[in-house]
Amino acid sequence: MSKADNLLAILWLLKSRKQMTAGQLAEELEIHIRTVYRCIDALCASGVPIVSETGRNGGYRILEHFKEAPLFFGPEEQKALVHAAAFAQEAGYPFGDALERAVGKLKRNTHPEQLDRLERHESGLEVLHPPSASSLGGHLRSLEEAVAERAAVSMIYQTGYEGGAKERMLEPYGLVHWKSKWYVVGRRRLRSEIRSFRVDRIQALSRTDTVFSRPEGFSARQFLLNSLLCRGRNPKRSWFPFISRVIPRH
Protein backbone atom coordinates (compact mmCIF):
# COMPACT_ATOMS: atom_id res chain seq x y z
CA MET A 1 0.00 0.00 0.00
CA SER A 2 1.03 3.61 -0.46
CA LYS A 3 1.87 5.84 2.50
CA ALA A 4 -1.56 7.50 2.26
CA ASP A 5 -3.24 4.08 2.37
CA ASN A 6 -1.19 3.10 5.43
CA LEU A 7 -2.07 6.33 7.22
CA LEU A 8 -5.77 5.87 6.53
CA ALA A 9 -5.71 2.21 7.53
CA ILE A 10 -3.98 2.95 10.84
CA LEU A 11 -6.53 5.69 11.55
CA TRP A 12 -9.39 3.28 10.90
CA LEU A 13 -7.89 0.60 13.13
CA LEU A 14 -7.18 2.95 16.02
CA LYS A 15 -10.65 4.42 15.73
CA SER A 16 -12.39 1.05 15.67
CA ARG A 17 -10.39 -0.54 18.49
CA LYS A 18 -9.55 0.73 21.94
CA GLN A 19 -5.79 0.28 21.72
CA MET A 20 -3.23 -1.43 19.53
CA THR A 21 0.51 -1.91 19.71
CA ALA A 22 2.86 -1.15 16.85
CA GLY A 23 3.36 -4.88 16.41
CA GLN A 24 -0.38 -5.52 16.15
CA LEU A 25 -0.77 -2.75 13.60
CA ALA A 26 2.13 -4.09 11.55
CA GLU A 27 0.71 -7.62 11.61
CA GLU A 28 -2.82 -6.48 10.75
CA LEU A 29 -1.68 -4.38 7.77
CA GLU A 30 1.18 -6.70 6.76
CA ILE A 31 3.75 -3.90 6.83
CA HIS A 32 7.08 -3.44 8.61
CA ILE A 33 6.93 -2.16 12.17
CA ARG A 34 9.21 0.74 11.23
CA THR A 35 6.58 1.80 8.71
CA VAL A 36 4.08 1.88 11.56
CA TYR A 37 6.34 4.16 13.60
CA ARG A 38 6.78 6.53 10.64
CA CYS A 39 3.03 6.62 10.01
CA ILE A 40 2.27 7.31 13.69
CA ASP A 41 4.77 10.18 13.64
CA ALA A 42 3.16 11.57 10.46
CA LEU A 43 -0.33 11.36 11.96
CA CYS A 44 0.76 13.10 15.14
CA ALA A 45 2.48 15.81 13.12
CA SER A 46 -0.76 16.40 11.19
CA GLY A 47 -2.68 16.95 14.42
CA VAL A 48 -4.26 13.56 15.12
CA PRO A 49 -4.35 13.14 18.94
CA ILE A 50 -2.67 9.74 19.27
CA VAL A 51 -1.61 8.76 22.78
CA SER A 52 1.27 6.34 23.28
CA GLU A 53 1.30 4.28 26.48
CA THR A 54 4.28 2.19 27.51
CA GLY A 55 4.37 -0.97 29.58
CA ARG A 56 2.91 -4.44 29.33
CA ASN A 57 -0.57 -3.21 28.45
CA GLY A 58 0.62 -0.25 26.45
CA GLY A 59 0.04 0.72 22.86
CA TYR A 60 -1.45 3.47 20.74
CA ARG A 61 -4.93 4.90 21.10
CA ILE A 62 -6.88 7.91 19.88
CA LEU A 63 -8.52 10.36 22.28
CA GLU A 64 -12.27 9.83 22.58
CA HIS A 65 -13.30 13.27 21.36
CA PHE A 66 -11.47 12.63 18.09
CA LYS A 67 -13.16 9.25 17.67
CA GLU A 68 -16.52 10.96 17.79
CA ALA A 69 -15.59 13.43 15.06
CA PRO A 70 -17.46 12.78 11.76
CA LEU A 71 -14.38 11.75 9.82
CA PHE A 72 -15.50 8.25 8.90
CA PHE A 73 -18.52 6.70 7.24
CA GLY A 74 -21.37 5.23 9.24
CA PRO A 75 -23.19 1.98 8.29
CA GLU A 76 -25.83 3.72 6.17
CA GLU A 77 -23.19 5.82 4.40
CA GLN A 78 -21.13 2.70 3.69
CA LYS A 79 -24.16 0.95 2.21
CA ALA A 80 -24.97 3.98 0.07
CA LEU A 81 -21.41 4.10 -1.26
CA VAL A 82 -21.27 0.45 -2.38
CA HIS A 83 -24.71 0.77 -3.98
CA ALA A 84 -23.68 3.98 -5.76
CA ALA A 85 -20.54 2.20 -6.98
CA ALA A 86 -22.70 -0.53 -8.54
CA PHE A 87 -24.76 2.04 -10.44
CA ALA A 88 -21.64 3.93 -11.52
CA GLN A 89 -20.17 0.76 -12.99
CA GLU A 90 -23.44 0.10 -14.84
CA ALA A 91 -23.20 3.53 -16.43
CA GLY A 92 -19.67 2.86 -17.64
CA TYR A 93 -18.05 5.24 -15.15
CA PRO A 94 -14.60 5.97 -16.61
CA PHE A 95 -12.72 5.77 -13.30
CA GLY A 96 -14.06 2.39 -12.24
CA ASP A 97 -10.64 1.09 -11.19
CA ALA A 98 -10.22 3.92 -8.68
CA LEU A 99 -13.79 3.34 -7.51
CA GLU A 100 -13.06 -0.33 -6.85
CA ARG A 101 -9.95 0.60 -4.86
CA ALA A 102 -11.98 3.04 -2.76
CA VAL A 103 -14.63 0.42 -1.99
CA GLY A 104 -11.83 -2.05 -1.21
CA LYS A 105 -10.36 0.36 1.34
CA LEU A 106 -13.79 0.80 2.85
CA LYS A 107 -14.21 -2.96 3.28
CA ARG A 108 -10.66 -3.53 4.46
CA ASN A 109 -11.00 -1.11 7.32
CA THR A 110 -14.28 -2.16 8.89
CA HIS A 111 -15.12 -4.48 11.77
CA PRO A 112 -15.86 -8.11 10.77
CA GLU A 113 -19.51 -7.56 11.78
CA GLN A 114 -19.69 -4.36 9.72
CA LEU A 115 -18.05 -6.06 6.75
CA ASP A 116 -20.54 -8.93 6.88
CA ARG A 117 -23.46 -6.50 6.96
CA LEU A 118 -21.97 -4.40 4.16
CA GLU A 119 -21.42 -7.41 1.89
CA ARG A 120 -24.97 -8.63 2.48
CA HIS A 121 -26.32 -5.25 1.42
CA GLU A 122 -23.97 -5.21 -1.56
CA SER A 123 -24.98 -8.69 -2.78
CA GLY A 124 -28.66 -7.81 -2.37
CA LEU A 125 -28.52 -5.20 -5.13
CA GLU A 126 -27.22 -6.01 -8.59
CA VAL A 127 -27.10 -3.91 -11.73
CA LEU A 128 -26.81 -5.25 -15.26
CA HIS A 129 -24.04 -3.63 -17.24
CA PRO A 130 -24.70 -2.71 -20.88
CA PRO A 131 -22.22 -4.58 -23.14
CA SER A 132 -20.93 -1.30 -24.59
CA ALA A 133 -20.34 0.45 -21.25
CA SER A 134 -16.75 -0.67 -20.67
CA SER A 135 -15.66 0.08 -24.25
CA LEU A 136 -16.10 3.83 -23.77
CA GLY A 137 -13.72 4.11 -20.82
CA GLY A 138 -10.80 5.62 -22.72
CA HIS A 139 -12.83 8.34 -24.45
CA LEU A 140 -14.77 9.13 -21.28
CA ARG A 141 -11.58 9.57 -19.26
CA SER A 142 -10.09 11.87 -21.88
CA LEU A 143 -13.28 13.90 -22.20
CA GLU A 144 -13.75 14.23 -18.43
CA GLU A 145 -10.20 15.55 -18.06
CA ALA A 146 -10.66 17.91 -21.01
CA VAL A 147 -13.86 19.27 -19.47
CA ALA A 148 -12.17 19.86 -16.12
CA GLU A 149 -9.07 21.43 -17.62
CA ARG A 150 -10.91 23.45 -20.29
CA ALA A 151 -8.96 21.88 -23.16
CA ALA A 152 -10.42 21.62 -26.66
CA VAL A 153 -10.40 18.22 -28.37
CA SER A 154 -10.26 16.94 -31.92
CA MET A 155 -12.40 13.92 -32.71
CA ILE A 156 -13.36 11.70 -35.61
CA TYR A 157 -17.14 11.43 -35.29
CA GLN A 158 -19.60 9.17 -37.08
CA THR A 159 -22.52 11.43 -37.95
CA GLY A 160 -25.11 8.63 -37.96
CA TYR A 161 -25.61 4.91 -38.35
CA GLU A 162 -25.14 5.22 -42.10
CA GLY A 163 -23.27 8.51 -42.14
CA GLY A 164 -19.60 9.03 -42.75
CA ALA A 165 -16.93 9.85 -40.19
CA LYS A 166 -15.88 13.49 -40.03
CA GLU A 167 -13.39 15.46 -37.98
CA ARG A 168 -14.81 17.81 -35.36
CA MET A 169 -13.11 20.39 -33.15
CA LEU A 170 -14.96 20.67 -29.86
CA GLU A 171 -14.72 22.68 -26.66
CA PRO A 172 -16.26 20.16 -24.21
CA TYR A 173 -18.44 21.77 -21.54
CA GLY A 174 -19.73 18.64 -19.81
CA LEU A 175 -20.64 14.94 -19.94
CA VAL A 176 -24.20 13.68 -19.50
CA HIS A 177 -25.44 10.10 -19.06
CA TRP A 178 -28.93 9.55 -20.46
CA LYS A 179 -30.72 6.21 -20.94
CA SER A 180 -27.54 4.10 -21.02
CA LYS A 181 -25.83 6.53 -23.42
CA TRP A 182 -23.07 9.06 -22.76
CA TYR A 183 -23.16 12.46 -24.42
CA VAL A 184 -20.56 15.20 -24.51
CA VAL A 185 -21.93 18.73 -24.77
CA GLY A 186 -19.82 21.63 -25.97
CA ARG A 187 -19.11 24.28 -28.57
CA ARG A 188 -18.27 23.10 -32.04
CA ARG A 189 -15.54 25.51 -33.09
CA LEU A 190 -16.17 25.47 -36.85
CA ARG A 191 -19.74 26.76 -36.61
CA SER A 192 -19.42 28.33 -33.16
CA GLU A 193 -22.56 26.59 -31.89
CA ILE A 194 -23.29 24.41 -28.92
CA ARG A 195 -23.95 20.79 -29.81
CA SER A 196 -24.15 17.39 -28.15
CA PHE A 197 -22.39 14.29 -29.44
CA ARG A 198 -22.83 10.64 -28.51
CA VAL A 199 -19.59 9.30 -27.09
CA ASP A 200 -20.13 5.84 -28.58
CA ARG A 201 -19.93 7.38 -32.06
CA ILE A 202 -16.50 8.90 -31.45
CA GLN A 203 -14.01 6.80 -33.41
CA ALA A 204 -10.85 8.67 -32.42
CA LEU A 205 -10.13 11.43 -29.92
CA SER A 206 -7.13 13.61 -29.18
CA ARG A 207 -6.56 16.57 -26.93
CA THR A 208 -5.32 19.87 -28.36
CA ASP A 209 -3.32 22.72 -26.84
CA THR A 210 -6.26 25.12 -27.22
CA VAL A 211 -7.72 26.36 -23.92
CA PHE A 212 -11.25 27.75 -23.75
CA SER A 213 -13.57 29.47 -21.29
CA ARG A 214 -16.85 27.82 -20.42
CA PRO A 215 -19.95 30.10 -20.41
CA GLU A 216 -20.89 31.19 -16.91
CA GLY A 217 -23.72 29.10 -15.44
CA PHE A 218 -23.92 26.73 -18.42
CA SER A 219 -25.58 23.37 -17.68
CA ALA A 220 -24.79 20.48 -20.01
CA ARG A 221 -27.59 18.50 -18.40
CA GLN A 222 -30.17 21.21 -19.04
CA PHE A 223 -28.97 21.70 -22.60
CA LEU A 224 -29.43 18.03 -23.42
CA LEU A 225 -32.85 17.89 -21.76
CA ASN A 226 -33.98 20.94 -23.72
CA SER A 227 -32.68 19.32 -26.91
CA LEU A 228 -34.64 16.15 -26.24
CA LEU A 229 -37.77 18.13 -25.42
CA CYS A 230 -37.46 20.12 -28.64
CA ARG A 231 -37.08 16.91 -30.66
CA GLY A 232 -40.08 15.34 -28.95
CA ARG A 233 -42.33 18.28 -29.88
CA ASN A 234 -41.39 18.12 -33.53
CA PRO A 235 -39.46 14.99 -34.61
CA LYS A 236 -38.73 16.46 -38.03
CA ARG A 237 -36.83 19.38 -36.57
CA SER A 238 -33.20 19.19 -35.68
CA TRP A 239 -32.44 18.93 -31.98
CA PHE A 240 -30.08 21.79 -31.81
CA PRO A 241 -30.66 24.93 -33.90
CA PHE A 242 -33.71 25.83 -31.81
CA ILE A 243 -31.62 26.30 -28.68
CA SER A 244 -28.06 26.63 -29.91
CA ARG A 245 -26.55 30.03 -29.48
CA VAL A 246 -23.48 31.54 -31.00
CA ILE A 247 -20.59 32.16 -28.66
CA PRO A 248 -17.75 34.46 -29.70
CA ARG A 249 -14.52 32.70 -30.55
CA HIS A 250 -11.71 32.97 -28.00
Side-chain angles (χ1 to χ4, degrees):
M1 294 191 293
S2 66
K3 181 179 179 180
D5 291 338
N6 288 331
L7 292 173
L8 181 60
I10 289 174
L11 264 179
W12 273 95
L13 289 172
L14 292 180
K15 179 181 182 296
S16 60
R17 305 180 189 183
K18 290 184 177 181
Q19 189 167 283
M20 295 185 72
T21 66
Q24 290 171 332
L25 289 168
E27 183 178 358
E28 181 81 18
L29 301 176
E30 298 181 351
I31 58 178
H32 198 281
I33 194 168
R34 291 181 181 175
T35 302
V36 174
Y37 293 141
R38 287 195 293 269
C39 288
I40 293 293
D41 289 341
L43 289 170
C44 290
S46 66
V48 179
I50 297 177
V51 177
S52 175
E53 296 183 354
T54 59
R56 182 177 179 182
N57 297 318
Y60 296 108
R61 63 181 177 84
I62 294 179
L63 295 180
E64 290 300 320
H65 77 274
F66 185 83
K67 283 187 176 183
E68 296 172 359
L71 300 178
F72 302 98
F73 300 118
E76 290 301 307
E77 294 168 326
Q78 293 175 353
K79 178 179 68 174
L81 286 171
V82 296
H83 283 173
F87 278 96
Q89 296 288 13
E90 183 273 339
Y93 181 62
F95 300 97
D97 50 352
L99 186 60
E100 287 184 6
R101 292 198 302 272
V103 172
K105 291 178 184 178
L106 183 66
K107 292 179 179 179
R108 189 164 58 246
N109 297 292
T110 57
H111 289 301
E113 307 84 46
Q114 292 176 328
L115 179 60
D116 177 67
R117 179 179 181 274
L118 184 62
E119 290 181 337
R120 281 189 280 112
H121 280 292
E122 184 180 28
S123 63
L125 184 148
E126 296 185 70
V127 183
L128 295 178
H129 296 192
S132 60
S134 60
S135 63
L136 302 179
H139 289 341
L140 285 172
R141 283 174 180 260
S142 298
L143 287 169
E144 191 278 334
E145 291 170 355
V147 169
E149 298 173 17
R150 304 292 191 263
V153 297
S154 172
M155 62 183 181
I156 304 299
Y157 187 76
Q158 182 181 342
T159 57
Y161 290 109
E162 297 180 356
K166 298 181 179 180
E167 184 176 5
R168 298 281 189 270
M169 288 289 293
L170 181 71
E171 297 174 355
Y173 292 164
L175 287 165
V176 184
H177 184 262
W178 169 260
K179 291 189 175 181
S180 299
K181 299 291 184 183
W182 281 97
Y183 297 83
V184 56
V185 177
R187 184 174 79 94
R188 185 182 171 191
R189 293 181 62 84
L190 179 63
R191 297 183 179 179
S192 194
E193 64 180 3
I194 300 178
R195 294 284 304 272
S196 69
F197 298 88
R198 275 177 46 175
V199 177
D200 61 330
R201 290 184 181 174
I202 298 176
Q203 297 182 358
L205 181 72
S206 61
R207 181 168 167 170
T208 72
D209 295 329
T210 303
V211 178
F212 63 88
S213 297
R214 178 178 174 175
E216 181 110 14
F218 179 83
S219 170
R221 174 181 180 274
Q222 193 60 49
F223 177 88
L224 187 62
L225 288 175
N226 289 343
S227 299
L228 295 170
L229 179 61
C230 176
R231 188 188 188 192
R233 287 175 176 171
N234 189 348
K236 294 183 180 180
R237 291 187 64 178
S238 170
W239 287 16
F240 308 105
F242 179 72
I243 52 176
S244 296
R245 59 191 177 92
V246 176
I247 298 176
R249 294 179 181 275
H250 303 290

